[in-house]
């Protein structure tokens, strides 16, 4: 024991004793882990089945229409087989179409799911989802609901004497540990998404307390260090979904793999292609956490088809805080860049820009601004601006004001004011005023309504809405144990609908 570790040694000759005082960091550190809820046990499923249904009848003017969407399933220990169909009767003609048929098997021990049948490809950070019929195998974190996929936090400090450490995240208690003297670390703390504050309250045996605070930032775009997420698909591209039952085209395949390299850096690789001279593309993506400021994302890809090859690049930033929220993402594609789904677009996109800003003023409400811009290689660009303000006035209800402006071939500007007054647990009254100077019809419209929402169990609900243009809408719903039945009546521009 020497001064090099901060030890203080005092020798009492009269008592022939030695008093040794050591700093906390001279002791062996204590490491404790936060214990989350145990994962639920997987129980074998007994064979069974189910049916979901949505049936409607409609009459507008002189036209009558009816239809139904039906979904049936069989399940057991071998998985779940689900089939869905849609029927429609219009102008005296009945038509039907098969939507999806899929057999699904979960593997909770592998955090994975296998699907055989109709599904859609995983797009990654820069791709486009395409419906197909075939095989899909990939990560499914929902098979373990207690698993936290985002980076975990850790709290550390020093205790002079045996103490109790209580950990709070954004004021919510998440852990309490007893620690001996010396340095300590509590690992595996789950973080709430966005910017937040982690606090530790260290209470010693005499009741003395010290509070340690540290900011953090967590994002769902990041994976925990060492955690993998993947998806592999192969099959025939689905054509005219919702119009034809069994229209399949060329074979296609896609693969996506993400890994948390560290708690602050997640990497991604994605590749896709289609047979028959179709498009093929491959690229990389990444997400970096910049301290407690936010997360930066980036992507780059190359894609080609028989008409040529091109490239795509994207850059983004996000911060979700209690007071300030910022989002921005820009993406640019060369004219010859091709990927799955490109041939289904009317116009090839050139650049995309989406950005948003949110300010939370607490009890004084929140302000939001959004801007979006979509450019094409052979068509006019489209821009959209939005500005909104909302505030809760306690017993006086909820107030909001929204303004939008879109620029395209036809300008579209709108201003909407709304006020909602609660009249109990499920009832409310509201009024709204809409101003649209670019509309071909009435520029100004005032709407008043009263409604009662359905409860969680068997209950009734209704809604009545009137406007200054003599338009009317009325709804009544009944929710029972087997489903919901509702009736609607509407009058719009002199035409009645039921």
């Amino acid at each position: 024991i020497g001064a090099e570790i901060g030890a203080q040694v005092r020798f009492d000759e009269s008592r022939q004793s030695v008093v040794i005082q050591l700093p906390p960091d001279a002791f062996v550190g204590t490491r404790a882990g936060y214990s989350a809820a145990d994962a639920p046990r997987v129980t074998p499923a007994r064979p069974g089945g189910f049916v979901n249904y949505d049936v409607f009848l409609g009459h507008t003017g002189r036209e009558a229409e009816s239809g139904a969407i039906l979904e049936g399933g069989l399940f057991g220990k071998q998985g779940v087989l689900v089939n869905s169909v849609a029927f429609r009767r219009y102008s005296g003609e009945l038509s039907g179409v098969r939507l999806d048929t899929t057999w699904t098997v979960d593997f909770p021990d592998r955090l994975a799911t296998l699907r055989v049948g109709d599904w859609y490809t995983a797009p990654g950070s820069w791709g486009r989802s395409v419906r197909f019929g075939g095989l899909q195998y990939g990560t499914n974190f929902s098979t373990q609901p207690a698993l936290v996929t985002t980076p975990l936090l850790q709290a550390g400090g020093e205790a002079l004497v045996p103490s109790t450490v209580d950990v709070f995240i954004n004021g919510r208690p998440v852990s309490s540990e007893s620690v001996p003297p010396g340095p300590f670390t509590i690992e595996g703390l789950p973080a709430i998404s966005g910017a937040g504050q982690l606090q530790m309250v260290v209470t010693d045996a005499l009741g003395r307390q010290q509070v340690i605070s540290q900011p953090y930032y967590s994002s769902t775009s990041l994976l925990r260090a060492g955690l993998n997420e993947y998806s592999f698909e192969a099959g025939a591209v689905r054509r005219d979904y919702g119009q034809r039952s069994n229209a399949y085209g060329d074979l296609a395949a896609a693969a996506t793999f993400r890994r948390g390299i560290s708690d602050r850096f997640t990497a991604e690789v994605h590749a896709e292609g289609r047979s028959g001279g179709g498009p093929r593309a491959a690229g990389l993506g990444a997400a970096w956490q910049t301290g407690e400021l936010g997360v930066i994302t980036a992507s780059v890809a190359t894609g080609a088809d028989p008409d040529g090859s091109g490239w795509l690049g994207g850059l983004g930033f996000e911060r979700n805080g209690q007071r300030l929220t910022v989002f921005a993402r820009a993406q640019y594609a060369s004219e010859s860049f091709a990927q799955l789904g490109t041939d289904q677009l009317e116009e090839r996109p050139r650049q995309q820009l989406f950005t948003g800003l949110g300010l939370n003023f607490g009890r004084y409400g929140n302000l939001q601004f959004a801007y979006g811009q979509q450019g094409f290689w052979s068509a006019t660009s489209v821009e959209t601006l939005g500005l909104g303000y909302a505030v809760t006035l306690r017993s006086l209800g909820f107030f909001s004001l929204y303004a939008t402006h879109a620029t395209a071939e036809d300008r579209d500007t709108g201003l909407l004011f709304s006020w909602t007054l609660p009249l109990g647990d499920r009832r409310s009254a509201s009024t709204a005023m809409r101003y649209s100077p670019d509309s071909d019809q009435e520029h100004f419209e005032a709407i008043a309504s009263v409604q009662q929402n359905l409860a969680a169990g068997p209950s009734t609900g209704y809604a009545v809405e009137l406007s200054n243009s003599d338009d009317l809408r009325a709804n009544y719903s009944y929710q029972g144990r087997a489903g919901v039945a509702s009736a609607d009546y509407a009058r719009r521009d002199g035409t009645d609908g039921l």
Side-chain angles (χ1 to χ4, degrees):
I1 299 175
E4 66 274 4
I5 63 172
Q8 297 181 5
V9 181
R10 297 195 306 273
F11 180 68
D12 189 340
E13 294 184 357
S14 62
R15 298 182 178 181
Q16 292 294 296
S17 63
V18 177
V19 177
I20 303 174
Q21 185 173 354
L22 298 173
D25 56 6
F27 293 87
V28 176
T30 300
R31 304 185 74 88
Y34 167 75
S35 57
D38 293 335
R41 292 178 57 190
V42 179
T43 57
R46 295 181 179 179
F50 61 88
V51 175
N52 294 322
Y53 51 89
D54 190 346
V55 183
F56 73 93
L57 301 171
H59 189 278
T60 304
R62 298 181 179 179
E63 296 290 342
E65 183 179 5
S66 61
I69 298 177
L70 307 175
E71 180 184 69
L74 299 174
F75 57 84
K77 62 181 181 180
Q78 293 81 14
V80 183
L81 176 65
V82 178
N83 183 69
S84 58
V85 295
F87 297 97
R88 184 189 184 199
R89 184 178 182 86
Y90 185 73
S91 299
E93 296 184 3
L94 177 64
S95 60
V97 62
R98 183 185 64 86
L99 298 178
D100 296 293
T101 303
T102 311
W103 174 56
T104 304
V105 184
D106 292 328
F107 303 97
D109 54 334
R110 306 178 196 173
L111 296 173
T113 293
L114 170 67
R115 297 180 178 90
V116 181
D118 297 300
W119 201 244
Y120 48 87
T121 61
S125 60
W126 52 268
R128 296 177 179 273
S129 289
V130 175
R131 288 187 175 273
F132 73 98
L135 299 174
Q136 189 268 345
Y137 180 78
T139 309
N140 185 358
F141 292 133
S142 64
T143 58
Q144 293 287 356
L147 177 67
V148 179
T149 62
T150 55
L152 300 174
L153 304 178
Q154 68 176 23
E158 295 179 345
L160 298 176
V161 296
S163 305
T164 299
V165 180
D166 296 303
V167 183
F168 299 81
I169 295 180
N170 290 344
R172 182 174 64 90
V174 296
S175 177
S176 181
E177 300 285 346
S178 297
V179 297
F184 62 84
T185 302
I186 301 176
E187 302 172 324
L189 297 170
I192 299 175
S193 181
Q197 196 76 245
L198 185 148
Q199 291 181 321
M200 290 183 300
V201 179
V202 183
T203 306
D204 64 19
L206 299 178
R208 295 173 297 186
Q209 291 185 334
Q210 59 172 323
V211 180
I212 305 171
S213 297
Q214 64 185 60
Y216 75 86
Y217 190 87
S218 178
S219 173
T220 55
S221 59
L222 294 171
L223 289 176
R224 249 168 44 194
L227 188 63
N228 298 327
E229 183 178 15
Y230 54 87
S231 180
F232 305 101
E233 304 95 13
V237 177
R238 188 80 183 262
R239 300 293 187 186
D240 299 327
Y241 179 79
Q243 300 177 12
R244 293 195 290 170
S245 299
N246 301 297
Y248 295 92
D250 298 331
L251 296 178
T256 307
F257 182 83
R258 298 177 68 226
R259 180 176 175 83
I261 307 300
S262 69
D263 282 346
R264 291 180 176 268
F265 180 75
T266 297
E268 173 192 300
V269 58
H270 176 79
E272 57 187 34
R274 200 185 74 195
S275 65
R280 55 195 182 277
L284 303 174
W288 298 273
Q289 180 180 337
T290 56
E292 284 73 47
L293 181 62
V295 173
I296 297 175
T297 58
S299 57
V300 59
T302 178
D305 61 11
D307 296 329
S309 62
W311 60 274
L312 173 146
L315 190 64
F317 173 78
E318 68 168 44
R319 173 181 171 79
N320 184 12
Q322 297 180 355
R323 294 293 182 182
L324 173 66
T325 298
V326 181
F327 170 81
R329 178 171 175 81
Q331 183 172 285
Y332 182 89
S334 64
E335 188 172 7
S336 300
F337 176 77
Q339 61 186 137
L340 287 180
T342 301
D343 55 342
Q344 300 178 12
L345 301 176
E346 294 183 2
E347 302 291 342
R348 284 203 174 188
R350 181 173 56 184
Q351 78 270 355
Q352 295 177 342
L353 174 62
F354 301 100
T355 182
L357 174 68
L359 297 172
N360 185 2
F361 304 112
R363 63 191 180 107
Y364 299 105
N366 60 81
L367 181 69
Q368 295 181 344
F369 168 79
Y371 171 78
Q373 194 264 350
Q374 173 75 71
F376 304 92
W377 281 102
S378 57
T380 305
S381 297
V382 178
E383 292 181 289
T384 302
L385 287 165
L387 182 66
Y389 173 75
V391 63
T392 300
L393 303 175
R394 296 185 180 180
S395 60
L396 296 179
F398 179 78
F399 165 85
S400 62
L401 179 66
Y402 297 98
T404 60
H405 178 71
T407 61
E409 296 181 357
D410 298 322
R411 296 178 56 187
D412 185 11
T413 303
L415 183 65
L416 174 65
F417 158 85
S418 68
W419 172 57
T420 302
L421 177 65
L423 301 175
D425 293 338
R426 295 190 291 130
R427 288 188 297 273
S428 65
S430 63
T431 181
M433 289 178 283
R434 183 184 296 111
Y435 177 65
S436 304
D438 301 325
S439 175
D440 296 333
Q441 301 176 353
E442 293 189 18
H443 296 335
F444 176 80
E445 183 179 20
I447 303 171
S449 65
V450 60
Q451 69 179 31
Q452 174 177 285
N453 299 323
L454 292 170
S459 57
T460 60
Y462 60 83
V464 179
E465 182 181 289
L466 299 169
S467 76
N468 65 322
S469 57
D470 293 331
D471 292 340
L472 168 67
R473 177 180 175 271
N475 163 272
Y476 180 83
S477 300
Y478 170 76
Q479 178 172 269
R481 297 185 180 277
V484 178
S486 62
D488 290 87
Y489 168 78
R491 183 176 67 241
R492 183 76 175 177
D493 298 330
T495 302
D496 294 329
L498 181 65

